[in-house]
């Protein structure tokens, strides 16, 4: 929204699906992006995923192992970078005090900031290896004095509207994001 207000011709296509893991995103991202940003037009990709990989399903264990999350991320981001300009935004922290997260009557997830932080560190290493700009959203929000209240009246995984605004401010201030528009 801010980029458009500044006069940039930006079209946004959010392809996120609630509760999807990296393994679920991997087989569909390219097929969904290709018709939206054909090669005749300039385009860029922004990836943000990971927290759902870290969730443990009650009685079943972690949804996606750390090793598998890393392999899927490396594959997706390498392909994306070879195709279009690519940015990667890391997962935000969760509120451990508001766990477990009841997704439905039958599915209960346990998110933990410790697992998200571990995955974030792994993702930062992969991004550095691939040369993909990475926004450490986890650290930015963990260090932001406004962040702790962003899960009030929320589920501990999805912040209130003001929390998404705080995240957007961090993205807008990110030099790699700003470079896209220079």
């Amino acid at each position: 929204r801010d980029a458009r207000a500044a006069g940039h011709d930006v079209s946004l296509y959010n392809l996120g699906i609630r509760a999807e893991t990296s393994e679920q995103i991997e087989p569909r991202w390219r097929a969904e992006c290709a018709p939206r940003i054909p090669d005749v037009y300039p385009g860029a990709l922004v990836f943000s995923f990971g927290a759902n990989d870290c969730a443990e399903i009650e009685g079943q264990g972690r949804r996606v192992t750390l090793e598998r999350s890393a392999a899927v991320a490396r594959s997706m981001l390498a392909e994306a970078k070879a195709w279009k300009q690519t940015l990667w935004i890391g997962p935000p922290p969760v509120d451990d005090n508001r766990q477990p997260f009841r997704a439905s009557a039958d599915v209960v997830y346990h998110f933990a900031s410790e697992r998200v932080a571990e995955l974030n560190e792994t993702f930062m290493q992969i991004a550095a290896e691939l040369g993909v700009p990475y926004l450490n959203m986890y650290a930015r929000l963990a260090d932001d004095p406004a962040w702790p209240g962003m899960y009030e009246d929320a589920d501990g995984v999805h912040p209130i509207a003001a929390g998404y605004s705080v995240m957007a401010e961090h993205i807008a201030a990110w030099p790699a994001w700003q470079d896209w528009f220079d």
Side-chain angles (χ1 to χ4, degrees):
R1 181 181 66 219
D2 292 344
R4 287 188 71 83
H8 300 289
D9 183 17
V10 177
S11 295
L12 171 70
Y13 301 102
N14 182 346
L15 303 180
I17 297 176
R18 188 175 178 137
E20 277 205 338
T21 66
S22 61
E23 288 181 317
Q24 293 168 306
I25 296 165
E26 183 182 34
R28 71 177 179 82
W29 78 266
R30 181 74 181 250
E32 293 181 23
C33 290
R36 289 172 173 86
I37 48 174
D39 290 333
V40 297
Y41 299 109
L45 304 166
V46 180
F47 284 82
S48 184
F49 58 89
N52 284 299
D53 287 21
C54 297
E56 290 185 352
I57 300 175
E58 196 168 77
Q60 296 179 31
R62 188 168 171 152
R63 292 186 70 196
V64 182
T65 66
L66 178 63
E67 295 76 18
R68 179 71 181 139
S69 293
V72 170
R74 182 176 279 109
S75 172
M76 277 195 299
L77 275 293
E79 181 180 350
K81 182 184 180 209
W83 181 45
K84 300 277 183 189
Q85 284 186 306
T86 301
L87 296 179
W88 191 1
I89 300 171
V94 297
D95 186 342
D96 295 323
N97 296 320
R98 294 183 183 274
Q99 300 305 309
F101 173 81
R102 186 165 296 283
S104 69
D106 301 330
V107 180
V108 177
Y109 295 132
H110 292 267
F111 289 87
S113 288
E114 180 180 321
R115 288 190 302 271
V116 176
E118 179 184 43
L119 182 63
N120 179 63
E121 290 294 323
T122 300
F123 282 179
M124 284 192 311
Q125 292 171 3
I126 293 167
E129 291 167 15
L130 297 175
V132 173
Y134 186 86
L135 178 61
N136 184 347
M137 187 63 78
Y138 187 93
R140 294 222 183 174
L141 296 178
D143 293 340
D144 188 326
W147 188 250
M150 295 304 147
Y151 288 119
E152 294 299 321
D153 299 323
D155 58 24
V157 178
H158 305 94
I160 60 175
Y164 286 109
S165 293
V166 168
M167 292 172 77
E169 289 170 10
H170 284 289
I171 294 166
W174 182 26
W177 178 263
Q178 294 171 352
D179 288 348
W180 273 8
F181 301 105
D182 290 340

